[in-house]
Amino acid sequence: MKKIAIVQSNYIPWKGYFDMIAAVDEFILYDDMQYTRRDWRNRNKIKTPQDLQWLTVPVKVRGKYLQTILETEIDGSDWMETHWKALEQNYRRAPYFAEVAAVFEPIYRMNKYTQLSHLNRTLIEAVCTWLGISTKISLSSDYTLVDGKSERLADLCSQANATEYISGPAARDYMEAEPFSRRGIEVSWFDYAGYPEYPQLWGEFAHGVTILDLLFNCGKDAPRYMKCVGKE
């Protein structure tokens, strides 16, 4: 039995993203997909005393209407210091800021990134290490890609020797079951509902923020507020 998920890389994603990683045996970053503007690929939210705030990685998009996530270049490096200062300013009062910062501050201050996909993967893998997630993470470009939205996903699963494909619930609206059933692959849907609240700074609780919010506030207790991490 082997479970697979195939999802585009996001910038410091929310906790549900990492629960899906923890729920499968291999997580394929689907960065051969077209880059979409004003989406989660290059931005995420943090909590501040004023409200939620976007942290956005600037990318080169002019004239690049059909570029993939894998092809998307980061525009400059000044944003890295800006993002880290925003995290530091808004989370330094969090109980576990210092120990989490020891892992993530070097990523922001000691490295220069030119490709969005590489940045996202670096941060995703750092979070997985912190949470003790041992799932294999690979890129869709590691495999042969065929045409057709559902056909491609099913074929990726087949190449990875999957017996089950776990998808986000939004894909119910467009994904075809036949390419999976033809290959003997079961399809199941991940459920993001019912997350408990955790101790959080700055007013009303918000679920839809970066995983770093949970790590700064809860440290190694973060899995207590997740569905699949640490539940093996």
Side-chain angles (χ1 to χ4, degrees):
M1 299 292 291
K2 184 178 181 180
K3 297 179 180 180
I4 296 283
I6 306 171
V7 182
Q8 297 98 314
S9 73
N10 292 347
Y11 177 58
I12 47 174
W14 80 304
K15 60 196 171 190
Y17 191 99
F18 292 94
D19 264 332
M20 181 178 278
I21 296 178
V24 298
D25 300 297
E26 182 175 353
F27 188 85
I28 299 177
L29 295 170
Y30 200 18
D31 284 2
D32 287 282
M33 286 288 286
Q34 184 177 343
Y35 169 78
T36 47
R37 302 188 190 193
R38 293 179 291 279
D39 211 335
W40 299 101
R41 312 300 156 241
N42 68 317
R43 65 179 187 168
N44 222 299
K45 294 177 180 179
I46 63 171
K47 288 200 74 183
T48 79
Q50 288 74 41
D51 204 349
L52 299 183
Q53 174 186 326
W54 285 103
L55 295 183
T56 302
V57 179
V59 296
K60 298 177 182 179
V61 295
R62 180 173 294 181
K64 301 176 182 287
Y65 303 109
L66 299 178
Q67 69 178 340
T68 63
I69 302 166
L70 202 59
E71 295 167 334
T72 301
E73 297 179 75
I74 296 172
D75 192 3
S77 59
D78 292 347
W79 66 271
M80 299 182 75
E81 183 67 16
T82 301
H83 283 205
W84 183 253
K85 284 183 175 178
L87 290 167
E88 187 175 46
Q89 177 180 347
N90 292 289
Y91 289 103
R92 62 189 173 196
R93 298 182 187 177
Y96 301 93
F97 177 79
E99 60 185 275
V100 175
V103 173
F104 292 92
E105 184 176 7
I107 296 176
Y108 281 90
R109 287 191 158 156
M110 297 173 63
N111 297 285
K112 303 296 182 186
Y113 296 92
T114 58
Q115 302 297 129
L116 178 63
S117 182
H118 181 211
L119 168 71
N120 287 350
R121 183 172 185 173
T122 298
L123 288 164
I124 288 167
E125 289 180 339
V127 173
C128 285
T129 298
W130 175 270
L131 292 172
I133 299 172
S134 59
T135 299
K136 177 184 177 181
I137 296 179
S138 54
L139 283 170
S140 53
S141 56
D142 297 336
Y143 295 92
T144 302
L145 302 178
V146 302
D147 292 333
K149 185 177 290 186
S150 298
E151 191 72 29
R152 176 179 289 185
L153 293 172
D155 194 68
L156 280 170
C157 288
S158 181
Q159 289 180 62
N161 299 312
T163 55
E164 182 178 355
Y165 174 60
I166 298 181
S167 173
R172 285 181 185 270
D173 296 335
Y174 63 80
M175 201 174 77
E176 300 170 3
E178 192 276 333
F180 294 89
S181 60
R182 178 165 22 99
R183 293 170 171 84
I185 299 168
E186 179 185 353
V187 175
S188 57
W189 307 96
F190 199 79
D191 182 8
Y192 292 120
Y195 275 107
E197 296 184 2
Y198 56 86
Q200 194 178 59
L201 298 175
W202 314 129
E204 185 177 352
F205 189 87
H207 284 289
V209 292
T210 171
I211 185 75
L212 295 183
D213 182 274
L214 175 59
L215 300 189
F216 287 139
N217 284 301
C218 298
K220 292 297 184 180
D221 285 336
R224 291 178 52 195
Y225 304 95
M226 301 180 74
K227 293 187 171 187
C228 301
V229 175
K231 309 299 193 294
E232 296 86 354

